[in-house]
Amino acid sequence: MYSKKITLLILAIVLIASPTMIQASSNYQMGGTAKAGLNALFFDDTSQVEIYDSINLEFSSDNTAFEIDVMHNLTKNELDMTLKKAYFRKKIMGSNITIGKQPISWSFGSLINTTDYSLGAEALNEETSAKYVNGVKIDYPFNWYSSLSLVREFNSEYDYKYGFRGRTLINDYDVSVNWVDQKSNNSDLSRWGLTLKGDISNTGVYGSYTHVNYKTTNFEINTEGYMVGADYSYFLNQGYGNRLYLQGEYHLLEKNEGLNVLLNSLAGAGVAIPPSKISNEEKYFKVFLSNINYNINDFSSIGFFTITSLEDGSTALIPNYRNQLTNNTTLKVNLSYLSGSSDEVFSGGNRLPGVVCNIELSYAF
C-alpha cells in the first residue's frame, strides 16, 4: 500500500509538472511499442500455453520521463499495468538530481551482475522490472570518466534502502565501487562490490568481487562472490553487417545462507535454483556462462546463451533469433531448455518448466 501511494504521488507530480516542462523544453518525444506474443511452458507432466498482447507508452522531455506498460493475458483474461518511469530531473550545483520512478542499474557489460543495485535487474542482456525503483538519485560527475551516485529508495518491502557508486578510470580500466544497504523487519542486508573492465589487445576483459553481510533473527553470515569474464568481436565479410560476438564468464559464489541472496542475480535470466539442489560438499558454487551471437546482416541475428553448473554439469540452453522485418516491426524467438535431471541444479520438473518457448512480434511507433 505504501509503495502504491508513493507511485501515485510521483505520477501526480510528474503529470502536473509536465506541461510546464514541455513549454520550457525544446526537446520532447512521444512514442511506444505494441507487442503480441505466445509463451509455451513444458513441465514433466503437463504444458501451458499463454497468448498475450501489450502496449508500452513513453513520453520524455529534457527534464521529465513517463513510461507505462499495459500487459493483457488473453488466455487468462488478465490485465496488468506497470509504471516503469515517472520522474523529474533537475541539475543543481553540478549534480543531476532525479526524483521518482526511474531505472537504476550499475551494469558494466557482464551477463550476470552480482554487484548491481538490485540483483536480477539485468541479465543475459535483458532488463527486468527490478531495474525500476521509486526513489531519489543524485549523480555528480567530476569529469567524463569519474562520477559519484547516491540512491535512496522508497519501498514498502524495506524500512530503508540506500545505494552508493563511485566510478573512475585507472590505467585505461573502468573501475567502480558499489555499496547497497537495506533493512527490513526481519533482516539486514549489506552488499559492497568492486568491478573492473578494460581491454587486452582486441579482447575485452572484466571482473568483479562481491561481499554480502546478511543478518536475520537466527544468524549473521558473510558471503563472497568472484567473477572473471572476457568478450571478443570478429567481423566477417569485411564488416558488412556480419559480426560474430563471443563472451564467457566464470562465477565463484561462496556456499552459505547468503548464497540465496546472490542467486537472485539469475532471476533476470529466467532461471530459478532451489537451494535444495545445491550440495554443500564444496565451499563454492561454480557457474560458467557463455554468449555467442552472430549478426546475419544489418537486420537479423541469431544467438545462444548457456548457463552451466560446474558442480554437476547441468546446463540451461537459451537460443534466440531476432529479425527486423520492417523499419518498425521486429520478430523475436527465444527458447530455453534445462538439460539436468531432477536432482541437478538446472533441471525442470512439475514446479519448474524444462522447456520454455517465447515468440513475439513488436511494432514501434
Side-chain angles (χ1 to χ4, degrees), residues 15 67 78 93 115 152 180 195 206 271 274 293 332 336:
L15 291 177
E67 184 176 353
E78 295 177 348
M93 298 178 63
T115 69
R152 170 60 162 99
V180 176
T195 70
Y206 57 90
V271 177
N293 187 272
K332 293 182 180 180
S336 176

Side-chain angles (χ1 to χ4, degrees), residues 307-358:
I307 309 175
T308 301
S309 165
L310 300 183
E311 182 169 304
D312 56 26
S314 61
T315 300
L317 306 172
I318 310 173
N320 59 86
Y321 172 74
R322 181 181 182 276
N323 194 333
Q324 186 176 336
L325 303 176
T326 68
N327 288 339
N328 304 86
T329 308
T330 302
L331 172 68
K332 293 182 180 180
V333 180
N334 294 286
L335 298 174
S336 176
Y337 169 67
L338 304 181
S339 68
S341 57
S342 60
D343 59 340
E344 293 180 328
V345 174
F346 294 110
S347 63
N350 292 320
R351 295 179 58 190
L352 298 174
V355 178
V356 177
C357 175
N358 173 256

Side-chain angles (χ1 to χ4, degrees), residues 9 35 40 47 50 68 119 132 144 146 157 164 169 191 199 214 225 247 272 295 306 310 320 328 330 335 341 354 359:
L9 176 61
K35 299 179 181 179
S47 61
E50 295 182 353
I68 191 169
L119 297 181
Y132 299 89
W144 70 273
S146 297
E157 297 181 6
F164 164 85
L169 198 68
R191 295 188 285 116
D199 295 307
Y214 187 38
Q247 184 177 14
N295 285 9
T306 67
L310 300 183
N320 59 86
N328 304 86
T330 302
L335 298 174
S341 57
I359 302 173

Side-chain angles (χ1 to χ4, degrees), residues 201-325:
S201 186
N202 295 324
T203 302
V205 294
Y206 57 90
S208 70
Y209 168 79
T210 307
H211 182 275
V212 176
N213 179 254
Y214 187 38
K215 301 178 184 178
T216 70
T217 54
N218 298 321
F219 62 83
E220 176 179 355
I221 200 161
N222 294 305
T223 307
E224 294 181 319
Y226 305 84
M227 182 271 287
V228 292
D231 56 51
Y232 179 79
S233 292
Y234 179 74
F235 292 90
L236 300 87
N237 193 27
Q238 297 181 342
Y240 289 100
N242 303 106
R243 185 191 74 150
L244 179 64
Y245 178 75
L246 306 172
Q247 184 177 14
E249 63 187 50
Y250 172 70
H251 288 258
L252 198 65
L253 308 177
E254 188 175 5
K255 289 182 181 178
N256 54 37
E257 295 290 342
L259 175 62
N260 297 332
V261 175
L262 293 178
L263 288 179
N264 286 330
S265 303
L266 287 169
V271 177
I273 302 178
S276 59
K277 290 188 176 182
I278 300 177
S279 69
N280 294 314
E281 295 177 1
E282 298 183 15
K283 184 178 180 181
Y284 290 98
F285 177 58
K286 304 166 188 174
V287 181
F288 180 79
L289 297 98
S290 71
N291 174 24
I292 301 174
N293 187 272
Y294 175 63
N295 285 9
I296 302 171
N297 50 45
D298 290 336
F299 308 101
S300 61
S301 65
I302 187 168
F304 201 86
F305 292 104
T306 67
I307 309 175
T308 301
S309 165
L310 300 183
E311 182 169 304
D312 56 26
S314 61
T315 300
L317 306 172
I318 310 173
N320 59 86
Y321 172 74
R322 181 181 182 276
N323 194 333
Q324 186 176 336
L325 303 176

Side-chain angles (χ1 to χ4, degrees), residues 4-18 65-68 81 83 85-87 99-101 134:
K4 290 182 179 179
K5 289 181 179 179
I6 291 290
T7 300
L8 291 173
L9 176 61
I10 293 169
L11 176 59
I13 292 173
V14 171
L15 291 177
I16 292 171
S18 291
F66 173 79
E67 184 176 353
I68 191 169
M81 184 173 65
L83 181 66
K85 299 178 185 175
Y87 65 77
I99 303 174
K101 189 72 175 286
N134 287 316

